[in-house]
Amino acid sequence: MNKMLTAIVLAGAFSAASVLAADVQESWDKQCAKCHGADGAGQTAMGKKLKLKDYTDASVQASFTDEEAVKAIKEGVKEDGKTKMKGYADSLSDEEINALVAHVRSFKK
Ligand code: HEC
């Protein structure tokens, strides 16, 4: 009985995790890729205009911490009082934001 229960709990955990991975890919593609690019390199029309960093570049990845990335996604990015990236604190959960940071990290080549 106990083994059975463990199997059920584990199956639940795995399917939740895989749904989340698909969700993160979808959020990135829908909400972030128009600026940062599907591959994170920032080579989109918006990305070039905003001079986005190339997240496939290891030195770029090293230039910010996970905490800074979380903060940028939550609160957005402003420069000279102008919003360059809006904050997503209202529309994304902490779990989704953490997963997006992991997604950003995965672009590193
Ligand atoms: C309107 C264009 C735009 C959209 C949409 C956008 N960003 Fe950004 N993002 C920027 C700009 C501009 C910066 C600041 C410059 C830079 O870091 O390249 C930035 C910075 C960041 C940073 C901070 C990196 C650092 O150097 O600290 C992260 C992480 C990030 N964005 C993730 C995301 C995620 C995740 C999404 C989608 C939920 C998203 N961005 C959507 C434009 C955008």
Side-chain angles (χ1 to χ4, degrees), residues 2-3 7 9 11 13 20 28 34 39-40 49 51 60 62 70 80 85 89 95 97 99 104 109:
N2 261 340
K3 260 190 190 159
V9 170
L20 197 60
W28 179 267
K34 61 175 177 269
D39 61 353
K49 211 173 123 194
K51 298 193 179 61
V60 167
V70 166
D80 303 328
M85 170 178 151
E95 285 79 22
I97 290 173
V104 166
K109 286 210 174 121

Side-chain angles (χ1 to χ4, degrees), residues 27-28 30-36 46-47 50-55 60 63-66 68-73 76-79 83-86 88 92 96-97 100-101 103-104:
S27 325
W28 179 267
K30 279 197 183 150
Q31 308 191 62
C32 321
K34 61 175 177 269
C35 291
H36 291 285
M46 279 291 258
L50 293 166
K51 298 193 179 61
L52 289 199
K53 294 174 193 167
D54 177 358
Y55 295 144
V60 167
S63 73
F64 60 89
T65 64
D66 287 357
E68 286 165 342
V70 166
K71 194 167 181 279
I73 300 170
V77 178
K78 279 194 182 155
E79 206 180 86
T83 301
K84 293 183 83 188
M85 170 178 151
K86 66 166 189 154
Y88 291 86
L92 296 171
E96 286 169 313
I97 290 173
L100 279 165
V101 172
H103 195 68
V104 166

